[in-house]
Amino acid sequence: ASCTCETRGQSTNSFQEMEGEGYIPTGLAPWEKMQYKSFRKWCQHVLKDRNITLNNLQQDYKDGRTLAALLECLSKKKISGVVANPKMRLQMINNLATSLNFIHAEKIRIENIGAEDICDENLKLLLGLIWTIILRYQIQRIAASGEGSGGEKKDDLASLKKALLERLKRLNRFDGVNVENFTSSWQDGKAFCALCTDQDPSSLDYDASKGKTPAERLRDAFNTLERDWGIPQLLDVDDVLGDKPDEKSMITYLAQCIATFDEKGNANRKAQQPQADAAHSYVEGDKVATVDTPATLTIVSCDSNGNRVPGGGARFQVDMAPKGAGGKPIVNVRDNGDGTYTVMYQPTSTGPHKVNVSLDGKPLKGCPFDLDVRPRSSDPSKCTVSGDGAKSAQVGKKAKFTIHGNDSNGKPTGRGGENFEAAIIGPNGAVPASVTDMGDGTYVVEYEPSFEGDHSIDVTLDRKRLPKMPLHVNATQVSDPSKCRAEGPGLLKAAPREPARFKVFAADSNGTPLKKGGEPFQCKVTGPRNSQVPTQVKDNGDGTYDVVYTPQEGGPHKVEVSVYDKPISGMPLVVKADDGSDASKCVVTMPRDVKSDTPATISIQAMDSDGKPVTGGGEPFQVKVTGPSAAGPYGAPYTVSVKDLGQGKYSADWIPKIPGDHVVEVTLGGKPVAQSPYRVNVKPSDPSISGELEMAIWQEINRARSNPRAYAQEMQSLRALYDKNGNFMVPNSSISRATVDGPSGVDNAIRFLNTCAPVGVVTLNENFSKSCRDLVADNGPRGAMGNQMADGTTMADRLNRYGQWKKKCGEALSYGFYSPKDVVQQWIIDDGMAGNPNRTTLFNPEWAVIGVATGPHAKFQRMAAVAFTADYADGATGGSKDQEEEPLQRERHTAIEKKKDFLARIETPDGRGFLIKSEPMNVPASQLSLMQQGQRLLMVRERAATDGEMLKSEFKWDIPYAWSVNDVTATYQPGDTTLHIFLLKPDQGAFDPKMDYSVMKFELPAQGANPRIAVSTKDSPDAWVMTITPSQFDENVEVRVKNGLVTFVVKHDVIGEDEEGEYTKTVTSNTSVQLPFAVPPHRFVREGSTIIRVHKPAPATGNTNNVRIPIIG
């Protein structure tokens, strides 16, 4: 595969700069240009026997022939299937794919590069591939040649670099050479000259080179390496002298030198020098080592006559393992080039180790031998002490500090058993001190001063002092609890919810007041009901302490003050808190004969702890009233304000909206008052409303509709009412009823309830209930069943007798069940009913009005009828063309009915707007339309084919503010056929377009191979749609906006490596999009993971009647 150079004139190819042997891409940084040239020269050297000339790397590798030839030369293997003269792009890609497959088969790891990348002349990826090949076929082999048998295979970049650098550090024996890295250590040329001299002193005079300039030294060394060893000059002198020479280029050249020396120089040396003989070679060095500490042995190579071999090149193998439990140490062998070899190891376990050094499978003289690995011992000069007892102490109190045993490297030994001693001398002589060995390399010292003054602490190990010894600690006098006292008004009396204060005076054992602070005084106050009262103790720094506590109620309070866990003089004592209201003694008067929609007044008389009226005001009474609807029997709270009438009297007014039991909670400071909570039965304001049984059924239905999950828990017990034949025992009776579904019907109902969303409560209507009573009065005496009356009146006509139902209606019937709970639960179970029509009717979210009736039944003793409708007009009898009866045997789609709490119930979690979600519509999206009517009305129209007839239905929501079609996004989910309508909030508050707003933050998972994210925009009639293309990194994205400029601040962490090892850093980049208008942040809506929709501002004027809104899906 030969490549020729040709001038391309106006071609789009970026190679426009000639330099020496070929093109150099323009726009490259100096280090990139250096890498390009060195890699091209290296490839040219490898391919020298193939008669291939490289000029333009991107084009030379494009057809795949050059890459295949390079791999064949390096691997010494044939690659089959390469087209010899590819003309078409497909042939080129096949050639490249064949080579890449060969690389994978060689177990060489390559990532993020494909045949198309090379064919498309992606220079960055091509250079990365060449570097991977250099690592595998040249550097890794060099590193492996320097390993001992005890070492691990080096295949990661850090290990390979380290192994290569170790081989080059032998040059540091030359004066002025300090090889520490692959870049700056070589820029003055001395190390390159030493490299030549080290291989052959006659090739280059190192001492003479020291008087030359760096450029002259580099040029001499490069020429010498090429002349004497045939090593091509992969580097240019100017590139090496640059500010930052490319490390990969330097490594490539140095590795080529080492590889050439290994092939040629070592062969010459072996031919000239005697060979090492195992029987005469030996190991010298200390046969005692310390665990977890680096150590060395030296192998001395000798020939068969016992004479020292002057050069290296022998392959010694070292096997080192503990005789007992423990892991093998990591061992490396370094060829010193002078006939000696350094064995570097670090044992990880203590005890005897067996060491065997061999050459060509034969043990050396004196091998194998035992190596004694001992635990680390503490070095007195590296040991330390810590703890309060080494800094301060108090008379009569135990003080302690810790000794830390460290080895000669300053690292903890982690073991005990060493001879640490502590001697403490006080003002009156020696102070007893104990030293406790904790067994982990630490030792705890305890002592107790008897007198004030300076104490000298001297710590030794094997009678050798630790650093900074002796220490000097001043022991001070402390408080004596029996001599301390407390005074102040807070110990005489207190008032509820008022701070009570007193002062504590510290004194020593002689009763002398202390003039300093720091004493651990504690105060505990216990209320009349064993409640703990919060207290504060303030250290004044002069031996006195201010104490504050605040009683929360009247009555006796126990005050306790202690120091060093002992009570001070005069403690404990009892302080009475009064002059305030006592919640348990206050009197609450509940209203009588309470009716719905009628104001009711709750009266409160504040009383003190003695049961006497309080004449003041300002007490924090609170009243909470919970009605019978919503979730559970008491789930509808009322907001009730409390009025302070003065003279200890308070009142609270509330207007109950629903008949039934209400719970009234009265609290004072968060505590229940008197007999709270109270129960109040609210009667209907209209005496003609349904009876108690009907109301109970209505309330039971509301409990189930408003909290299905909680209701499911109550139905668990029904399974026990079925016998083995599936018969159901009616609760509170001796009636046994055969069932179709058995207990599985209960399980099915519970599963439904656990997945059903709350659908809201329904309102009981008296006229609507009369229609149900007509059915009960007709069916009951006849023992009949069904929705039709004896005279043929249908359900739809009957429900229109006393008013007019609107939109839809439905009805559920029950026979043979007495209690409201049994009636409702059997509707939910819906035994034997295909499709569960009663359950479907019961949980239809479209219902808003209910009618209920119960009565005797000739066959089943008791029946109940419940009718539902979306809306009802009292007294307006007769049908309407838009009425639609809801057949029980067919489940129709429903929509969420708008209530006063509409916005609160559907607001999105991020607060940017409101979401309306329908139940399954069961129709194609093409049969739905969404439109705006007027400024506020949102309408959905549907035409669905059912039973061969085209039916039309409409659902409307009255949004409580003016909005624009630009504020709406509608999507239709084909999987579950639900309609999702997102309505953006109206612009609220002042918006300053010059401010920099943070719009949103989110995580964007990695996808593809892009180095950074990209953002594209698309204009639509109602919004600008921004689509994010992810990068190859997991990104943290923050979206900001200012003056219509949308900025994506993107951050991700990368792991890199330098001379100091592996490091992690955060990379930040910005991508901006300019919108043609300033937009507040709440108009940004994220759809999915990569789409952000920016809603355009609503138009100032225009027609808003029947404006169609597109549905996405």
Side-chain angles (χ1 to χ4, degrees):
S2 61
C3 302
T4 58
C5 171
E6 55 182 293
T7 304
R8 299 185 180 274
Q10 299 302 317
S11 169
T12 58
N13 193 289
S14 62
F15 289 82
Q16 301 173 4
E17 178 183 337
M18 287 289 292
E19 188 166 312
E21 303 96 10
Y23 282 98
I24 302 297
T26 60
L28 297 182
W31 68 269
E32 292 175 313
K33 184 184 295 185
M34 178 180 180
Q35 186 178 114
Y36 180 88
K37 292 188 294 183
S38 63
F39 281 11
R40 183 179 62 194
K41 292 176 182 178
W42 181 83
C43 293
Q44 185 70 73
H45 176 69
V46 174
L47 295 169
K48 63 182 181 296
D49 296 332
R50 291 294 184 102
N51 195 28
I52 296 175
T53 302
L54 301 181
N55 294 291
N56 181 331
L57 277 182
Q58 291 165 285
Q59 294 188 358
D60 292 339
Y61 276 88
K62 180 175 183 175
D63 64 8
R65 293 178 297 168
T66 302
L67 179 59
L70 182 73
L71 293 171
E72 287 180 343
C73 292
L74 291 170
S75 66
K76 310 301 183 186
K77 298 177 183 178
K78 178 65 177 176
I79 300 177
S80 59
V82 178
V83 178
N85 190 23
K87 298 295 185 181
M88 297 183 294
R89 173 180 170 85
L90 181 60
Q91 293 175 318
M92 298 178 182
I93 290 177
N94 286 338
N95 280 355
L96 291 166
T98 300
S99 296
L100 294 178
N101 290 335
F102 177 81
I103 291 175
H104 286 295
E106 289 280 276
K107 297 182 179 179
I108 302 175
R109 183 180 178 184
I110 56 175
E111 295 180 352
N112 299 326
I113 184 171
E116 293 83 356
D117 298 315
I118 304 175
C119 190
D120 292 338
E121 303 184 16
N122 189 317
L123 179 59
K124 179 180 179 181
L125 295 180
L126 177 60
L127 292 177
L129 176 63
I130 295 174
W131 171 243
T132 301
I133 293 173
I134 294 171
L135 284 176
R136 172 62 174 83
Y137 287 106
Q138 183 157 296
I139 300 175
Q140 186 172 333
R141 290 176 178 176
I142 294 172
S145 69
E147 293 176 345
S149 61
E152 299 293 330
K153 182 181 179 182
K154 302 179 178 70
D155 55 8
D156 62 281
L157 178 59
S159 298
L160 294 175
K161 288 169 59 178
K162 182 179 179 181
L164 181 60
L165 196 62
E166 286 297 324
R167 292 196 63 176
L168 294 171
K169 283 186 176 180
R170 61 180 292 167
L171 302 176
N172 290 345
R173 60 192 177 89
F174 286 85
D175 181 39
V177 176
N178 183 25
V179 176
E180 295 294 337
N181 54 51
F182 294 103
T183 53
S184 59
S185 296
W186 301 83
Q187 286 185 289
D188 62 3
K190 293 180 180 179
F192 279 111
C193 292
L195 185 65
C196 298
T197 304
D198 180 65
Q199 291 301 310
D200 185 357
S202 64
S203 66
L204 189 149
D205 188 345
Y206 177 78
D207 290 333
S209 70
K210 290 192 287 187
K212 297 182 179 182
T213 65
E216 292 171 336
R217 285 194 288 267
L218 289 170
R219 194 170 292 108
D220 289 348
F222 293 167
N223 291 334
T224 300
L225 290 168
E226 186 174 33
R227 181 193 68 228
D228 293 356
W229 284 279
I231 300 172
Q233 296 189 32
L234 304 185
L235 304 177
D236 292 343
V237 172
D238 292 340
D239 292 336
V240 178
L241 293 174
D243 292 338
K244 292 182 179 180
D246 177 54
E247 184 184 56
K248 293 179 181 178
S249 301
M250 300 289 287
I251 291 175
T252 301
Y253 185 46
L254 291 169
Q256 184 65 52
C257 293
I258 297 298
T260 303
F261 294 156
D262 286 348
E263 292 173 4
K264 297 182 178 180
N266 288 344
N268 294 335
R269 290 180 183 178
K270 287 182 179 179
Q272 298 173 3
Q273 72 181 23
Q275 299 297 307
D277 179 68
H280 292 82
S281 299
Y282 59 91
V283 179
E284 63 183 14
D286 194 353
K287 303 302 191 292
V288 177
T290 302
V291 68
D292 294 329
T293 302
T296 61
L297 296 169
T298 301
I299 301 172
V300 180
S301 61
C302 299
D303 61 17
S304 58
N305 296 319
N307 298 319
R308 289 275 296 270
V309 175
R315 297 296 181 89
F316 290 98
Q317 294 83 38
V318 180
D319 182 65
M320 182 181 296
K323 291 186 175 181
K328 279 188 173 185
I330 297 176
V331 181
N332 285 296
V333 179
R334 184 179 66 210
D335 186 345
N336 299 321
D338 59 358
T340 65
Y341 302 78
T342 300
V343 179
M344 298 167 286
Y345 67 98
Q346 182 171 318
T348 58
S349 57
T350 59
H353 284 55
K354 181 180 178 181
V355 181
N356 187 35
V357 183
S358 59
L359 178 64
D360 298 328
K362 298 178 181 179
L364 269 60
K365 180 180 179 181
C367 292
F369 59 87
D370 286 343
L371 175 71
D372 184 17
V373 180
R374 299 176 180 177
R376 289 180 301 180
S377 298
S378 296
D379 182 343
S381 66
K382 301 295 184 180
C383 296
T384 60
V385 298
S386 65
D388 293 339
K391 304 173 184 177
S392 62
Q394 297 176 339
V395 175
K397 301 293 179 183
K398 285 189 177 297
K400 64 174 61 177
F401 61 89
T402 301
I403 305 171
H404 301 272
N406 298 324
D407 62 15
S408 57
N409 294 320
K411 296 182 179 180
T413 62
R415 71 177 186 93
E418 298 192 276
N419 187 30
F420 282 99
E421 295 180 311
I424 302 176
I425 306 298
N428 285 22
V431 177
S434 64
V435 180
T436 303
D437 186 344
M438 307 306 293
D440 60 357
T442 63
Y443 302 78
V444 176
V445 180
E446 286 189 323
Y447 66 98
E448 183 177 326
S450 300
F451 299 93
E452 286 187 290
D454 179 68
H455 285 64
S456 172
I457 300 177
D458 203 1
V459 180
T460 59
L461 172 59
D462 296 328
R463 299 192 176 183
K464 294 181 181 179
R465 274 183 170 174
L466 271 61
K468 300 181 181 179
M469 294 295 156
L471 302 175
H472 291 275
V473 173
N474 183 37
T476 59
Q477 189 63 263
V478 295
S479 297
D480 183 339
S482 65
K483 303 296 183 180
C484 298
R485 59 188 175 85
E487 297 178 356
L491 298 178
L492 301 176
K493 65 177 182 179
R497 293 169 295 281
E498 293 292 335
R501 307 176 188 276
F502 63 91
K503 190 181 292 289
V504 177
F505 299 87
D508 62 18
S509 56
N510 297 319
T512 304
L514 298 182
K515 300 301 182 183
K516 61 178 182 61
E519 298 295 274
F521 283 98
Q522 293 181 319
C523 180
K524 176 182 177 183
V525 179
T526 307
R529 288 191 266 186
N530 290 324
S531 59
Q532 297 303 309
V533 177
T535 62
Q536 291 181 337
V537 179
K538 177 186 176 184
D539 187 344
N540 297 320
D542 58 359
T544 65
Y545 301 79
D546 290 331
V547 182
V548 180
Y549 68 97
T550 305
Q552 299 301 306
E553 58 185 325
H557 286 64
K558 182 180 179 181
V559 180
E560 302 172 84
V561 179
S562 61
V563 64
Y564 299 114
D565 298 326
K566 294 181 180 180
I568 68 172
S569 177
M571 291 293 163
L573 56 80
V574 176
V575 179
K576 184 178 180 181
D578 52 20
D579 294 333
S581 297
D582 184 337
S584 64
K585 300 297 177 68
C586 294
V587 177
V588 178
T589 303
M590 302 303 299
R592 296 182 180 180
D593 194 24
V594 180
K595 296 181 179 180
S596 60
D597 296 314
T598 304
T601 300
I602 301 168
S603 299
I604 305 171
Q605 173 62 61
M607 310 292 282
D608 65 15
S609 58
D610 294 327
K612 297 179 181 180
V614 174
T615 58
E619 302 280 10
F621 284 101
Q622 289 185 321
V623 176
K624 177 183 176 183
V625 180
T626 307
S629 61
Y634 304 107
Y638 291 83
T639 301
V640 181
S641 60
V642 179
K643 297 179 182 179
D644 187 345
L645 305 178
Q647 298 298 312
K649 298 182 182 298
Y650 303 82
S651 69
D653 295 330
W654 110 91
I655 302 176
K657 295 295 183 182
I658 301 174
D661 283 345
H662 287 60
V663 174
V664 179
E665 299 173 78
V666 183
T667 58
L668 175 60
K671 296 181 179 180
V673 169
Q675 304 301 317
S676 180
Y678 305 89
R679 281 173 172 75
V680 177
N681 182 260
V682 178
K683 298 178 181 179
S685 56
D686 182 357
S688 65
I689 201 164
S690 302
E692 291 185 4
L693 185 58
E694 285 82 357
M695 289 182 58
I697 294 176
W698 162 56
Q699 293 175 0
E700 191 72 17
I701 290 173
N702 276 343
R703 285 207 313 121
R705 285 171 58 92
S706 58
N707 196 340
R709 287 180 179 269
Y711 206 81
Q713 296 299 318
E714 299 181 25
M715 293 188 65
Q716 297 282 355
S717 61
L718 293 183
R719 300 192 88 264
L721 299 178
Y722 290 84
D723 63 20
K724 63 181 180 180
N725 297 319
N727 298 320
F728 179 76
M729 289 297 299
V730 178
N732 304 314
S733 73
S734 59
I735 300 174
S736 176
R737 176 174 292 179
T739 66
V740 176
D741 300 329
S744 64
V746 178
D747 297 336
N748 178 271
I750 291 174
R751 281 194 298 272
F752 169 82
L753 292 172
N754 281 328
T755 58
C756 179
V759 292
V761 299
V762 289
T763 302
L764 183 62
N765 184 278
E766 174 61 19
N767 283 332
F768 204 39
S769 298
K770 290 178 182 179
S771 302
C772 298
R773 291 195 197 113
D774 287 351
L775 180 65
V776 173
D778 178 87
N779 280 5
R782 298 188 298 118
M785 300 177 65
N787 304 89
Q788 186 167 315
M789 298 177 67
D791 60 1
T793 302
T794 64
M795 176 187 71
D797 292 337
R798 171 170 45 83
L799 296 180
N800 270 333
R801 282 183 174 178
Y802 306 100
Q804 181 177 312
W805 57 269
K806 298 183 179 180
K807 297 182 181 178
K808 289 184 178 182
C809 70
E811 191 170 51
L813 306 178
S814 169
Y815 301 92
F817 291 93
Y818 290 82
S819 75
K821 179 175 289 188
D822 296 339
V823 170
V824 174
Q825 289 183 347
Q826 289 308 308
W827 277 330
I828 296 175
I829 295 172
D830 226 1
D831 180 69
M833 298 295 289
N836 305 117
N838 289 304
R839 181 195 303 164
T840 300
T841 298
L842 203 65
F843 287 93
N844 188 333
E846 198 170 1
W847 305 139
V849 181
I850 187 174
V852 185
T854 63
H857 192 272
K859 183 177 180 180
F860 296 106
Q861 287 77 48
R862 175 65 59 177
M863 74 169 289
V866 176
F868 300 89
T869 183
D871 196 4
Y872 189 78
D874 285 317
T877 60
S880 173
K881 63 179 182 179
D882 64 347
Q883 288 184 332
E884 179 183 335
E885 181 180 353
E886 169 121 335
L888 295 180
Q889 68 273 17
R890 184 181 67 203
E891 181 176 357
R892 295 276 293 134
H893 68 274
T894 59
I896 298 174
E897 186 66 28
K898 169 68 176 64
K899 301 288 184 184
K900 287 185 178 180
D901 59 346
F902 174 80
L903 297 183
R905 287 192 289 110
I906 64 174
E907 183 172 357
T908 57
D910 60 7
R912 296 181 183 275
F914 309 101
L915 179 66
I916 304 173
K917 178 181 177 183
S918 77
E919 289 193 357
M921 306 291 284
N922 300 323
V923 295
S926 60
Q927 296 176 206
L928 296 176
S929 60
L930 181 67
M931 58 189 64
Q932 181 183 20
Q933 286 190 333
Q935 294 289 336
R936 294 173 38 164
L937 200 62
L938 177 66
M939 181 176 66
V940 179
R941 286 180 176 171
E942 172 223 345
R943 296 184 63 82
T946 305
D947 298 332
E949 180 185 0
M950 294 301 294
L951 301 179
K952 177 182 178 182
S953 61
E954 293 183 351
F955 304 96
K956 298 180 181 180
W957 292 271
D958 184 11
I959 309 302
Y961 58 80
W963 53 278
S964 162
V965 293
N966 292 352
D967 298 333
V968 179
T969 302
T971 58
Y972 190 60
Q973 306 295 328
D976 57 2
T977 66
T978 57
L979 182 62
H980 296 248
I981 305 171
F982 175 80
L983 184 62
L984 195 68
K985 277 187 177 181
D987 293 343
Q988 298 175 358
F991 165 60
D992 183 0
K994 297 181 179 180
M995 282 190 62
D996 186 9
Y997 292 94
S998 177
V999 177
M1000 61 180 69
K1001 296 179 181 179
F1002 55 89
E1003 295 180 357
L1004 188 65
Q1007 182 178 335
N1010 294 329
R1012 58 187 293 175
I1013 72 166
V1015 181
S1016 61
T1017 61
K1018 181 179 180 181
D1019 186 9
S1020 68
D1022 63 336
W1024 265 265
V1025 180
M1026 295 184 289
T1027 302
I1028 306 172
T1029 301
S1031 72
Q1032 59 183 315
F1033 306 103
D1034 291 333
E1035 307 277 16
N1036 290 310
V1037 182
E1038 180 184 11
V1039 182
R1040 307 188 67 88
V1041 63
K1042 179 181 181 181
N1043 262 340
L1045 181 66
V1046 183
T1047 303
F1048 292 77
V1049 182
V1050 184
K1051 298 180 180 180
H1052 67 263
D1053 291 336
V1054 297
I1055 300 177
E1057 186 175 357
D1058 55 19
E1059 289 82 357
E1060 298 180 357
E1062 189 175 277
Y1063 64 86
T1064 301
K1065 69 175 182 179
T1066 300
V1067 177
T1068 303
S1069 62
N1070 292 346
T1071 300
S1072 298
V1073 174
Q1074 179 65 57
L1075 298 179
F1077 58 89
V1079 59
H1082 77 273
R1083 287 189 168 269
F1084 287 73
V1085 178
R1086 187 175 176 217
E1087 299 178 357
S1089 60
T1090 60
I1091 303 294
I1092 296 178
R1093 181 180 295 270
V1094 185
H1095 289 261
K1096 295 181 179 179
T1101 60
N1103 178 34
T1104 58
N1105 285 321
N1106 295 326
V1107 179
R1108 193 179 183 93
I1109 300 170
I1111 298 177
I1112 303 172

